[in-house]
Amino acid sequence: MTTSSKNIVLIGAGIMCATLGVMLRKLMPDANISIYERLEKVAAESSDAWNNAGTGHSAFCELNYTALVDGKMNISKALDIASSFEVSKQLWAYLKEQGNLPYEIPFINDIPHMSFVWGEENVSFLKQRYDAMCQSALFQDMKYTTSRTDITDWAPLIMEGRHINEPFAATKMDIGTDVNFGMIARGMIDYLEKSGNVEVHLGHNIEDFSKQSDSRWKIDIENYATGEVKEVLADYVFIGAGGGTLPLLEKCGITEAQGYGGFPVSGHFLRCTNKHVIQRHEAKVYGKAAVGSPPMSVPHLDTRMIDGERSLFFGPYAGFSTKFLKNGSYMDLPLSIEMHNIWPILAAGMRNVDLTKYLIKQVVQSPEDRFKELLVYYPNAKIEDWELTTAGQRVQIIKEDKDKGGVLQFGTEIVCSADHSIAALLGASPGASTSVSIMLEVIQKMFPDEINNKNWQKTLKTMIPSYGSSLIDDADLCMKTRDRTTAILGLFKT
Ligand SMILES: Cc1cc2nc3c(=O)[nH]c(=O)nc-3n(C[C@H](O)[C@H](O)[C@H](O)COP(=O)(O)OP(=O)(O)OC[C@H]3O[C@@H](n4cnc5c(N)ncnc54)[C@H](O)[C@@H]3O)c2cc1C
């Protein structure tokens, strides 16, 4: 049997499985692809627009993607993330051109990305970051200012009523974006359902796995509507269940999954209800994270465009819940603790006391405490204009470490079996923005031979024209690629 006639099961209907699904559909038109999702709706967990911040992470404004190392600004992570976002835009542009994402309302919108800091140390950091980033085509046209007039012009709400005697500074990238990842995932899965050889089963929960003697996976799946449990056989399985990935990975019993644990961090945003205020702000303004806070808790005052409607969010406020999914169970964390990961989890806990303190402070915050944090970014805010919303859950990776026992990681990690038949994605940051590069890595790990064949290379280059080249090293290709996707996606003209 050729690879193309095999059965592939994708678990979860969020942006990750949707992305992998469309790429595999184009690479292996004859393969049978089945997507199983426990909820009744596609992309209703972290990928839904209301459950994430919608930032097209391109490292334009997120200060935690750059670091001063021995007095030198290290921008390597920022370069990786910015180029990954350009890769994502290429797949979305290709699908749009093909009519596979036929939306009238845009799923990606121009919203300038700004960083805003105050205090001598932070201003010096921002200036060094700006000087280093300007060297790369990926960050071409970034603006830097220490002028109150400029910042007031860029984002009036953050300057009005601000009385500070210390220095402040801001950077701005006009080509920043806000992305509705839920809309993209739903569009991709709609396309898959119509494309033949793809079945999408909503309301189906994956319960268990076992490897058969013929090396296929037997998967037990419960249909929530009928209570019936059926068995499905698959040659390849990808677990893209977001927060639900870790428990499933533990069930499949592969040695590569040993030593992994998860630490859930929940999120809340303040959402503005005053239309007049919403209209006066048009930017994603990111600041500096508080000491001890996890990197994804960097505060930001954010214009969002969701289903054609403009809104304004501030946050996120981190929190702690033992659920791994927003629609999960409080038993998720306790049930995920097993012999193989108990020591890494304890060791990681002991090494992250600052994070624990930070989360406790966040959990016990009153509405007034939360509002005080907003005032730091929007001094004239009125408490009655804001309401609290609950975002998605992020399960951070805890990983066994030879020297430290266990470490807490804030990125993503692909775990793949030695025979390449099953892979899983753990972690959540930088997340949906880099989904295409992450899924390319999954394809590389699951299909290491096929990916090198001529047809696969050709198809990959059709979907992602820069595939195989570096947008970091090749400035000319970077600008051409950006201009092309910008035009197709109807974005800012560079
Ligand atoms: C507060 C917050 C802010 C964020 N902000 C950004 C941002 O600004 N930019 C960005 O790029 N990313 C952001 N992210 C990250 C981004 O949302 C995620 O990386 C991305 O949505 C993950 O997609 P996914 O498909 O892996 O997971 P999900 O969208 O969570 O999908 C997983 C699916 O698997 C299903 N599932 C789980 N268990 C099972 C099971 N046993 N059987 C069947 N189905 C199952 C779930 O129901 C769910 O639908 C943010 C996340 C959060 C929580």
Side-chain angles (χ1 to χ4, degrees), residues 5 8 14 19 47 60-61 137 144 163 168 190 208 229 239 269 272 280 313 355 398-399 494:
S5 57
I8 302 173
T19 303
S47 299
F60 295 162
C61 56
Y144 171 87
H163 308 290
F168 50 82
D190 256 12
D208 212 351
V229 176
I239 313 174
F269 288 103
C272 185
R280 295 198 60 227
F313 279 64
L355 172 64
I398 291 178
K399 198 177 166 187
T494 49

Side-chain angles (χ1 to χ4, degrees), residues 14 23 73 90 95 105 139 149 230 289 297 313 334 338 349 365 372 377 390 399 418 422 444 460 481 490:
M23 289 204 278
M73 188 57 66
Q90 288 178 71
L95 293 172
I105 299 170
F139 305 111
T149 316
K230 66 174 176 180
S297 299
F313 279 64
E338 296 185 352
Q365 265 185 336
K372 266 189 213 151
Y377 285 85
T390 304
K399 198 177 166 187
I422 192 164
Q444 173 78 55
L460 286 168
T481 301

Side-chain angles (χ1 to χ4, degrees), residues 12 14-16 37-38 45-47 53 55 57 205-206 241 428 430-431 433:
I15 187 84
M16 297 297 173
E37 164 57 53
R38 66 194 284 272
E45 277 284 341
S46 291
S47 299
T55 303
H57 284 307
N205 189 56
I206 304 296
S433 302

Side-chain angles (χ1 to χ4, degrees), residues 66 124 127 142 150 157 165-166 190 196 228 255 279 350 408 412 455:
T66 43
S124 152
K127 179 69 170 62
M142 185 181 269
D150 285 347
L157 298 188
N165 298 320
E166 48 186 348
D190 256 12
E228 189 193 329
T255 47
Q279 287 311 320
M350 288 184 295
L408 183 64
T412 48
N455 284 343

Side-chain angles (χ1 to χ4, degrees), residues 11-18 36-39 41-48 51-57 181 204-207 240-245 248 265-269 284 286 300 302 316 325 327 391-394 412 425 427-434:
I11 304 172
I15 187 84
M16 297 297 173
C17 283
Y36 289 93
E37 164 57 53
R38 66 194 284 272
L39 299 179
K41 194 180 165 200
V42 168
E45 277 284 341
S46 291
S47 299
D48 186 75
N51 288 338
N52 61 64
T55 303
H57 284 307
F181 299 108
H204 282 69
N205 189 56
I206 304 296
E207 300 280 325
T245 296
L248 293 175
V265 178
S266 57
H268 294 276
F269 288 103
K284 282 176 180 274
Y286 275 59
H300 44 103
D302 242 18
L325 292 161
N327 299 286
Q393 286 285 109
R394 279 195 261 214
T412 48
L425 178 70
S429 300
S433 302
T434 54

Side-chain angles (χ1 to χ4, degrees), residues 180-439:
N180 187 331
F181 299 108
M183 209 171 158
I184 296 177
R186 284 188 272 276
M188 285 174 167
I189 288 186
D190 256 12
Y191 152 71
L192 284 171
E193 270 194 296
K194 289 176 195 145
S195 70
N197 290 357
V198 179
E199 289 177 3
V200 180
H201 304 271
L202 300 181
H204 282 69
N205 189 56
I206 304 296
E207 300 280 325
D208 212 351
F209 303 87
S210 54
K211 186 94 191 212
Q212 299 210 124
S213 52
D214 64 359
S215 71
R216 285 186 297 174
W217 288 95
K218 178 169 80 64
I219 311 170
D220 298 337
I221 304 168
E222 182 183 354
N223 178 338
Y224 277 151
T226 61
E228 189 193 329
V229 176
K230 66 174 176 180
E231 286 176 1
V232 166
L233 294 177
D235 302 287
Y236 293 97
V237 179
F238 173 66
I239 313 174
T245 296
L246 178 69
L248 293 175
L249 189 59
E250 289 183 306
K251 283 181 181 163
C252 76
I254 57 171
T255 47
E256 291 78 6
Q258 295 290 304
Y260 283 99
F263 181 77
V265 178
S266 57
H268 294 276
F269 288 103
L270 284 179
R271 182 183 170 194
C272 185
T273 51
N274 182 328
K275 281 198 174 133
H276 175 67
V277 174
I278 297 169
Q279 287 311 320
R280 295 198 60 227
H281 183 79
E282 191 174 329
K284 282 176 180 274
V285 182
Y286 275 59
K288 267 220 135 184
V291 177
S293 64
M296 71 283 184
S297 299
V298 174
H300 44 103
L301 185 65
D302 242 18
T303 299
R304 303 286 316 273
M305 289 299 293
I306 302 179
D307 303 331
E309 207 177 305
R310 186 164 155 155
S311 51
L312 180 60
F313 279 64
F314 178 76
Y317 298 91
F320 179 74
S321 149
T322 53
K323 288 183 183 183
F324 279 176
L325 292 161
K326 189 172 173 180
N327 299 286
S329 149
Y330 289 108
M331 291 306 289
D332 288 343
L333 177 63
L335 289 177
S336 75
I337 302 172
E338 296 185 352
M339 281 309 284
H340 71 95
N341 61 16
I342 189 155
W343 173 235
I345 290 173
L346 287 174
M350 288 184 295
R351 299 184 70 83
N352 286 280
V353 178
D354 275 354
L355 172 64
T356 314
K357 280 191 201 157
Y358 170 82
L359 289 177
I360 293 170
K361 269 198 216 150
Q362 290 270 302
V363 170
V364 299
Q365 265 185 336
S366 65
E368 287 73 22
D369 293 333
R370 281 194 204 98
F371 183 65
K372 266 189 213 151
E373 287 188 33
L374 168 63
L375 289 177
V376 174
Y377 285 85
Y378 173 19
N380 283 349
K382 293 197 171 61
I383 197 162
E384 62 272 21
D385 288 343
W386 297 81
E387 63 185 18
L388 193 67
T389 66
T390 304
Q393 286 285 109
R394 279 195 261 214
V395 178
Q396 309 303 333
I397 306 168
I398 291 178
K399 198 177 166 187
E400 195 166 25
D401 182 275
K402 251 213 260 139
D403 304 321
K404 298 173 184 157
V407 287
L408 183 64
Q409 279 184 191
F410 291 101
T412 48
E413 186 151 333
I414 297 160
V415 179
C416 187
S417 63
D419 69 356
H420 317 292
S421 64
I422 192 164
L425 178 70
L426 292 172
S429 300
S433 302
T434 54
S435 50
V436 179
S437 299
I438 298 174
M439 290 305 111

